[in-house]
Amino acid sequence: MVRGRITGLAVSDVRFPTSLGHHGSDAMHPDPDYSAAYVIIETDARDGLKGYGLTFTLGKGTEVVVCAVNALSIHVVNKDLEEIVSDFRGFYRQLTSDGQLRWIGPEKGAVHLATAAVLNAVWDLWAKQEGKPLWKLLVDMDPKQLLSCIDFRYITDALTEEEAHEILQNGLLGKTEREEQVLKHGYPAYTTSCAWLGYPDQQLKQLCTDALKDGWTRFKVKVGADLQDDIRRCRLIREMIGPDKTLALAPLGIGVATGEQCHNRVIFKQLLQAKALSYLQIDSCRLGSVNENLSVLLMAKKFQIPVCPHAGGVGLCELVQHLIIFDYISVSGSLENRMCEYVDHLHEHFKYPVVIQKASYVPPQDAGYSTEMKEDSVRKFQFPQGEVWQKLLSKP
């Protein structure tokens, strides 16, 4: 039973200087500083629980998202939490349909990233009050309640609410067995941590060696800066991992995977209708939080496209594990051609970090959305007044 009136919303600009080690580097982003607009919401409930949410950014521009969060806060503060979750579709529309803020969206860009951060915090608080990890909160929901969280505007030509209800009803068959299976074996993952574009060969070799020792069998390589160097680096990776491990190459039947930068459910709808992708890469923060991701998972099921989420950056692994575990248990019902990205960066800054065993995500057991950062980490890396940034910015 949810409870409490939201009495406060605070947002911080938290940045980690990952560019110093070329972590996260690719052809389009040579020097990313993995960052987040980090939201905390408080209520007057006696339990003292708080909701934590974030949206992923790459350093510069995080201050813009922070401003957008503050602009959206008028729709959040003084709201009753029960009022929100009992009409989550309406609350989602309120955030995304502000008559003035909508002009600099709608449902895309900095305003939509801010929406994700706010809604992620609401979902975290809801799950905490129910005493469940988010994936379990979703799995245990009645299909009608789950659908009441989704805004079906602009996608009914691809998926109606009635069709979505039928998908969830069909997903009830074998759901208990799938939940038991994923609790026992986890959800399969692949690693991107070995082959960022800015890594020198020696570092790449060492990381591949370490990953193989840890049991990784599926590897992602960043390419796109120089064709000949791409070919050379892919050869190097193949030599390191051997012929029996999976490397993402077209001759192996691996098709187009996209979606980590798709702004909203409408773009995903259009890509699915056009049969333009083979693998769908949802992002827990690019879309409007759990609400919008639910609609995309359901569309992917209808169009029979495997979902392989994007999960690099700050906290994306922590968040998206909940979505993909729910998808397997309640929507897709399959692990065929499905895996979730994993990046081994910055998990130590979270109170409930991901757990990987045998190259698979272990389903979280702590209540909430796994979004809560350690207070010490926020204090150290808050931009620009955090002690880490004070030192870096003071250098000549």
Side-chain angles (χ1 to χ4, degrees), residues 33 42 128-129 168 196 233 252 271 310 356 392:
D33 284 325
E42 299 182 57
K128 283 178 177 174
Q129 288 195 353
L168 291 173
W196 294 114
R233 292 174 72 252
L252 297 178
L271 289 170
H310 173 239
I356 298 290
L392 289 172

Side-chain angles (χ1 to χ4, degrees), residues 1-8 40-45 47-53 79 81 84-85 118-132 134 137 367-369 371:
M1 182 69 177
V2 292
R3 53 203 172 270
R5 178 179 58 88
I6 297 175
T7 56
I40 303 175
I41 58 175
E42 299 182 57
T43 77
D44 59 6
D47 56 27
L49 294 172
K50 299 179 182 179
Y52 299 84
K79 278 277 190 179
L81 190 60
I84 290 174
V85 302
V118 171
L119 290 174
N120 283 334
V122 173
W123 281 99
D124 179 59
L125 181 57
W126 184 6
K128 283 178 177 174
Q129 288 195 353
E130 296 289 353
K132 298 178 180 181
L134 181 92
L137 175 71
Y369 199 6
T371 41

Side-chain angles (χ1 to χ4, degrees), residues 267-331:
I267 295 178
F268 275 115
K269 176 196 74 170
Q270 293 167 337
L271 289 170
L272 289 166
Q273 288 175 324
K275 299 180 180 179
L277 74 172
S278 307
Y279 301 90
L280 190 150
Q281 292 180 295
I282 57 169
D283 183 284
S284 56
C285 299
R286 177 71 66 175
L287 295 177
S289 186
V290 179
N291 310 69
E292 193 166 35
N293 271 294
L294 291 174
S295 69
V296 176
L297 292 174
L298 288 162
M299 284 193 289
K301 173 63 176 179
K302 180 183 175 180
F303 284 83
Q304 293 298 300
I305 296 296
V307 177
C308 299
H310 173 239
V314 180
L316 297 187
C317 295
E318 275 73 19
L319 272 67
V320 84
Q321 61 179 334
H322 291 269
L323 301 177
I324 201 64
I325 290 169
F326 160 75
D327 178 63
Y328 169 60
I329 295 173
S330 297
V331 181

Side-chain angles (χ1 to χ4, degrees), residues 348-363:
E348 67 274 15
H349 299 292
F350 286 83
K351 191 172 181 179
Y352 308 106
V354 293
V355 176
I356 298 290
Q357 291 181 3
K358 298 181 180 178
S360 297
Y361 281 90
V362 176

Side-chain angles (χ1 to χ4, degrees), residues 37 39 54-57 61 65 68-69 72 107-120 263 283 285-289:
V39 171
L54 58 82
T55 198
F56 171 58
T57 55
V65 182
V69 169
L72 289 171
E107 297 187 72
K108 61 181 181 292
V111 173
H112 210 43
L113 292 173
T115 298
V118 171
L119 290 174
N120 283 334
H263 296 290
D283 183 284
C285 299
R286 177 71 66 175
L287 295 177
S289 186

